[in-house]
């Protein structure tokens, strides 16, 4: 079993910053791509940013230049630094990881989600 636990969501004013963190634990041999997705009310879940084990990154156009994804391959963590937040960034943010388990099985795992509210 693999668990992803997120932290760092909350309420922030427009233009402010938040940092989300996600820690993976359990039967992990290695983690390939890690990423952040978000889902606003009434909308589908969408990709925010991903990062490979080799630190190659990919961002949604809407967050480029404002968000930065990073990871620690030793600690099995991924973080999302969010700057210049806008009201349209308000959503539940989910951590995702493609994990190779100690049993050599590959699976996609999700965190429970953390709410980001952008409001004055």
């Amino acid at each position: 079993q693999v668990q992803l636990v997120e932290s760092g969501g909350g309420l922030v004013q427009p233009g402010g910053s938040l940092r989300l963190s996600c820690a993976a634990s359990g039967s992990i041999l290695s983690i390939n791509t890690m990423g952040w997705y978000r889902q606003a009310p009434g909308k589908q879940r969408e990709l925010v940013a991903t990062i490979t084990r080799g630190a190659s990154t990919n961002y949604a156009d809407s967050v480029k230049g404002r968000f930065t994804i990073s990871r620690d391959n030793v600690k099995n963590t991924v973080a999302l630094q969010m700057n210049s937040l806008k009201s349209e960034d308000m959503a539940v943010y989910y951590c995702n990881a493609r994990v190779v388990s100690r049993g050599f099985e590959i699976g996609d795992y999700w965190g429970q989600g953390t709410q980001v509210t952008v409001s004055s």
Side-chain angles (χ1 to χ4, degrees):
Q1 274 286 25
V2 174
Q3 298 81 38
L4 300 182
V5 178
E6 300 134 339
S7 61
L11 172 66
V12 64
Q13 293 185 344
S17 298
L18 276 177
R19 183 177 178 85
L20 305 182
S21 298
C22 173
S25 62
S27 180
I28 299 171
L29 181 62
S30 68
I31 302 178
N32 296 333
T33 301
M34 302 185 81
W36 290 93
Y37 293 73
R38 66 187 181 188
Q39 187 167 19
K43 295 187 177 181
Q44 290 188 331
R45 190 173 297 190
E46 63 176 4
L47 179 146
V48 176
T50 61
I51 184 168
T52 67
R53 187 169 181 83
S56 293
T57 58
N58 179 50
Y59 294 93
D61 288 342
S62 60
V63 307
K64 284 180 181 177
R66 300 187 298 122
F67 291 10
T68 302
I69 190 170
S70 59
R71 67 185 282 176
D72 184 321
N73 291 332
V74 174
K75 296 181 179 179
N76 288 333
T77 59
V78 62
L80 185 69
Q81 177 66 41
M82 304 186 293
N83 298 328
S84 302
L85 282 159
K86 305 175 182 179
S87 58
E88 49 262 48
D89 295 318
M90 187 160 60
V92 177
Y93 283 69
Y94 296 91
C95 173
N96 171 267
R98 175 154 290 186
V99 176
V100 180
S101 73
R102 292 196 181 102
F104 300 100
E105 294 179 342
I106 298 175
D108 275 322
Y109 294 88
W110 293 89
Q112 79 283 2
T114 186
Q115 177 70 47
V116 171
T117 301
V118 183
S119 176
S120 55

